[in-house]
Amino acid sequence: MYDRALLQAVAQDKGDSHYTDLATRLNVAHATAWRLWTGKTAPSARVAAAVEDAYGIPASRLLKLAAPAPLQAAA
């Protein structure tokens, strides 16, 4: 699970109010930045590292493990 609200809040605190600002700061394609900004995709390891360098958000806060699905007993 990816916390785009956290990324947007921290980015806006640094003056980045649009996905194009994110693209510039992270040095990624505009399409990648748009997907991150809108929550359509989670960052790759490389992009998560760039987010940490640029905004100070560790990957462990940006990416949260989804709750595991409950196991069903065999019939």
Side-chain angles (χ1 to χ4, degrees):
M1 181 182 293
Y2 157 59
D3 190 354
R4 77 179 176 104
L6 174 62
L7 176 60
Q8 286 181 350
V10 173
Q12 289 174 348
D13 284 346
K14 289 207 173 227
D16 297 345
S17 59
H18 195 260
Y19 77 88
T20 56
D21 301 325
L22 184 73
T24 300
R25 190 176 296 263
L26 299 181
N27 195 29
V28 298
H30 283 190
T32 300
W34 178 84
R35 288 191 303 268
L36 291 171
W37 195 262
T38 59
K40 301 293 183 193
T41 189
S44 66
R46 185 190 75 77
V47 174
V51 167
E52 185 167 357
D53 289 344
Y55 296 111
I57 306 169
S60 61
R61 286 194 57 212
L62 188 62
L63 301 167
K64 300 289 184 190
L65 291 177
L71 296 176
Q72 295 181 352

